[in-house]
Amino acid sequence: MSVIINRKIQDNQWSHLPDDDPVVSGDVTVSLGRWIRDRESYDGYGGRIGVRLSPGDALDDLVPFVDGLGLIALEFDKFTEGRGYSQAYLLRERHGFQGEIRALGARRDHVMYMERCGIDAFEPAPQETAGQLLGGFDEITERYQPSHDRIPLIFRKRARGTRDELDLHETSV
Amino acid sequence: MSELKSRMTAVAMYQYDDIDRSLVNQRVAQFRGQVDRYLNGELTDDEFKQLRLRNGLYLQRHAHMLRVAIPYGLLSSGQMRTLGRISEKYDHGYGHFTTRQNIQYNWPELKDVPDILQELADVDMHAIQTSGNCIRNVTSDHLAGVAKDEIEDPRPYCEIIRQWSSLHPEFSWLPRKFKIAVTGGERDRAAIKFHDIGLRVVTDEQREPGFEVWVGGGMGRTPVVGKLIRGFLPRRHLLSYLEAILRIYNLLGRRDNLHKARIKILVNAVGIDEFHGQVEREWQNMLAAGESLEIGPAEVETVARHFRDDTPPDGGERASDSSRADRWMLDTRFADWHRHNTLEHKNPGYRIVMISLKGPGVAPGDIRSSQMYAVADIAERFSRDEIRSTHEQNLVLAYVKQADIVEVWRELDKHGLATPNIDTLNDMICCPGLDFCSLANAGTINIARQINEKFDRLDRLYGIGEVKLKMSGCMNACGHHDVGHIGILGVDKRGQEWYQITLGGRADDAAAIGKRLGPSLPGEAVADAIERIINVYIGRRKEGERFIDTYARLGIQPFKDQVYVSHHKSKDSRQSVVASA
Ligand code: SF4
C-alpha cells in the first residue's frame, strides 16, 4: 500500500499490529493500552515502535514518552470523526512532538484540515488511493486562522496591510 | 480596487476583500467536484451528506433544501436582489427567512446547487457551515448599531468570529452543531443564553472592552439556560478563549449518541465548575505558548471600520422633519403601522422600520421574489442600501429618515409588507414543520393560520399587547417554542399530529424555559386553547402588565384550569379530555 508523507506518495513501512499479534519484526504500531502495559519489553527491539491512538484515548498517558516514539498514528474510523484533529494539534503544539503523525483512514475531503492541524502522513481509507488523497490538499488555499501551520490570523495580515496603506496615505497628505 | 469599491458604497457592512472572495469561489469549485464525485459513485450517500450539509444543503421531505448564510442577518440591496433572482430561477419564486437569520430555499435541484452557490459567491455570499456538525452562522442583535441601549456594536465581533470559524481545520468535525450569538445591547436581543456560546459586549472598571461569556445553553430535546463561564474576558483574548472551549468540547463531547452530543450535555455532565477549570487550563496553556490568536485594536479595526456609522446623527438637512408623518397619523392604517412597526433610532433623524413577514395567509418568514426586489429597492432609496433579517423572521430597515417614513410605508404597503403586527400574537415564530421538514412530527403552518384567523382583528391584537408565540414541528425547536411566552410543540401521538403547549418561556435577560401546560391537544383544539389562555390574561392582568408579567405573577394553574376544564366544567368530560390526550 502507498501512503502520503509530506505530500509525497511513498511505500508504507509500517504495520499496525492488533493487540494479540506478537511484536516480531519491522516497524510496528501498537495500541496505546498495549504500549502502556508492555512498553518496557520493547527495549532493544530491532525495528521502530509507534503508538496508535483511538479517538477516545486521552493523550496524558502518552505525553511523558512522546519523544522516543517513531510514529503516532491517529485512527479515523468514521468519516465524521473529529477528535484526531485536536489530538494532532495538541501533540504538536502543546507536547512538542516532532516525529511523524499519521492519519489512518484518511479521506480526500479531510486531508486539508488534517495537514493544517499537524498530521504529516496519511494512509488512505480502503475506498481511496494515495493518489486520490493528493487532490484534497489545495482545493482551498485561502486560510483565515492559524493552527499548527502557524498561518497568521487573517486580521493580523490585514492590519499590517492597512497600516502600510495608512502610512502611505499620511505621507502623501 | 476592492478598497475603492467599499469607499464608494454607502452600505455599512463588511466588504469582502480578494482573500474572502477567492475563498468562497474555491469553496464553490470544491463543492462542484464533490457533487460530481457523488454522482459518479465515488462518495456514498452518507459521506456526501456530510459534505453537502456543510454547504447548507439538506435532503428534505419532498426535495432538497438550501440554507444560505446571512451573517448576523445583514444584507445589501444587491444581495437581496440576488436572493430574489435565485428564488425565481431555481426555486418556486419565494424564500423562507429562518430563526437563525438565514434564508432557505425549499426546491432547488442538486445539479443546480453549485451554480446557485456561484451566483451567491458573485455577490459575496455563501452557504458555508449553515448546517452540519461545525460552527454555524453567528447570530446577533438585529438592532446592532442603531439601538439606543447599545454598549458597543457587536457586528465586528460577529464578523471576526465568522472568519475565524470558517473552515476551521480543527473544529470542522465536531460532535454536534455549534451556535454562537453576540449581543452588544443592555437588553439581550440575541438570546445569548440559549446558544452553545453566548457573548455580551461589556467593559470592566478600567473601561477596557471585553465580553461576558455564557456556555452550554440551548433549546431542543434538553432545553438548558446557558451558564456564565467568564464574567469578563478581555477583548483581545476572544478567539483564544473560544478556541479553548471548542477544543475541550471537540475532545470530550459525546459522539455515541446524537441526542447527548451538544456542549450543554457535556457541561451538565461534568458540572460548570469542572468545565470552567478545564477550559481555563487549556486557555492558560495557549497563552503561555504565545498567543497567535490575539486581536489588538489594529486587528479589530480591520473589521470594525466597515460598520462605522458615518451618517449625520440628525440624518442631514430636514431628515427629522416629521410634519408629513404627523399629518398622515389621521390615516389609522398608517398610524397603526407607525406605532407597531417602527422603533426609535439612536439618532433622532431616523426611525427603524420593521417589515413583518407574518402577513395573513403567509407562512411566517416566507417572502416572494417580487417582495424581495421591492425591499431591495426601498432599502436602496431610503435606508442606506441595507436590510437585516431578525431571529423573529422579520426584516428591518434600520436607517429610514423621519421625513421619508410615509413614503416607505406606502411602498411597503403596495407589496403587502406593511402588516402592522410586530410583537403581537400574530407575529409568531414558526418553523417549516411537516410541510417541508423531514424531521417534523406535525404541521405548523396550518396551526399558525388557524391562530391568525382567530385573532384577525387588529384592535383585538393590539388590546392583547406583546406576546411571543413560538412554534416548532418537533423538539429540535427550530421555532424556539421552548422560549415562547406561549410555546407550541408538534408531537406524534400514535401517528397523529398533536400539540404540546408551554407557557412562560423567554429568551431575554430573564431567560427561562417554558413550562408544560398539560397534556397535548389535537390540532383543531390549539387555536381555541390559545384563545382561552389569552382570555385568562385579559381577565386578570393589572394595569400595564404584559402577558409574560401576568403569567409570572399568577403561575401556570389559572391557565391550565381554563384550557383543560371543558365548557361544561363537568368532572367527567375533563377526564375525558385528559384521557384522550
Ligand atoms: S423544529 Fe423540527 S420540524 Fe421544525 S424545522 Fe426544526 S427539525 Fe424540522
Side-chain angles (χ1 to χ4, degrees), chain B residues 111-166:
Chain B
K111 65 169 180 35
D112 292 333
V113 173
D115 294 336
I116 300 176
L117 294 177
Q118 187 61 56
E119 293 199 21
L120 291 168
D122 292 344
V123 293
D124 301 351
M125 295 184 81
H126 62 77
I128 298 170
Q129 290 169 216
T130 55
S131 182
N133 295 334
C134 50
I135 302 172
R136 300 287 189 87
N137 183 32
V138 184
T139 52
S140 187
D141 182 352
H142 54 272
L143 302 184
V146 295
K148 286 196 82 169
D149 69 344
E150 189 161 273
I151 298 158
E152 195 188 338
D153 189 344
R155 294 171 303 173
Y157 304 114
C158 294
E159 180 59 31
I160 284 170
I161 294 168
R162 182 190 77 83
Q163 294 187 25
W164 161 77
S165 63
S166 289

Side-chain angles (χ1 to χ4, degrees), chain A residues 15 17 22-28 41-50:
Chain A
S15 43
L17 293 187
V23 175
V24 182
S25 64
D27 297 340
V28 297
S41 71
Y42 304 139
D43 286 351
Y45 177 66
R48 291 180 294 170
I49 298 273

Side-chain angles (χ1 to χ4, degrees), chain B residues 131-312:
Chain B
S131 182
N133 295 334
C134 50
I135 302 172
R136 300 287 189 87
N137 183 32
V138 184
T139 52
S140 187
D141 182 352
H142 54 272
L143 302 184
V146 295
K148 286 196 82 169
D149 69 344
E150 189 161 273
I151 298 158
E152 195 188 338
D153 189 344
R155 294 171 303 173
Y157 304 114
C158 294
E159 180 59 31
I160 284 170
I161 294 168
R162 182 190 77 83
Q163 294 187 25
W164 161 77
S165 63
S166 289
L167 311 189
H168 196 291
E170 193 180 338
F171 307 129
S172 287
W173 300 92
L174 296 171
R176 199 78 176 84
K177 58 189 168 184
F178 202 93
K179 300 175 180 177
I180 302 176
V182 190
T183 188
E186 245 150 45
R187 279 183 52 203
D188 173 15
R189 282 173 293 263
I192 61 166
K193 291 178 195 166
F194 290 100
H195 282 78
D196 295 287
I197 293 178
L199 298 164
R200 183 200 292 275
V201 184
V202 291
T203 49
D204 71 356
E205 301 89 55
Q206 280 80 51
R207 306 211 50 75
E208 194 194 336
F211 301 91
E212 205 177 85
V213 186
W214 296 76
V215 71
M219 295 182 241
R221 192 173 290 257
T222 319
V224 183
V225 178
K227 298 175 181 72
L228 187 66
I229 186 167
R230 209 163 218 284
F232 185 78
L233 174 71
R235 182 175 78 172
R236 64 183 188 281
H237 296 311
L238 172 66
L239 296 180
S240 56
Y241 203 78
L242 292 182
E243 189 156 309
I245 294 175
L246 261 304
R247 183 164 299 128
I248 300 294
Y249 170 59
N250 189 38
L251 285 167
L252 300 183
R254 284 181 63 172
R255 289 169 183 263
D256 58 330
N257 181 341
L258 183 72
H259 302 303
K260 299 202 184 308
R262 294 289 288 269
I263 194 174
K264 62 191 173 189
I265 306 287
L266 174 64
V267 172
N268 281 353
V270 301
I272 183 66
D273 294 336
E274 170 62 20
F275 186 76
H276 171 250
Q278 296 201 22
V279 168
E280 293 281 326
R281 270 195 299 283
E282 174 56 25
W283 186 50
Q284 291 302 334
N285 281 328
M286 292 173 70
L287 296 187
E291 201 190 330
S292 55
L293 288 169
E294 185 165 332
I295 44 169
E299 282 78 26
V300 173
E301 179 60 15
T302 61
V303 177
R305 67 191 178 92
H306 294 280
F307 296 92
R308 197 138 298 141
D309 186 353
D310 53 6
T311 51

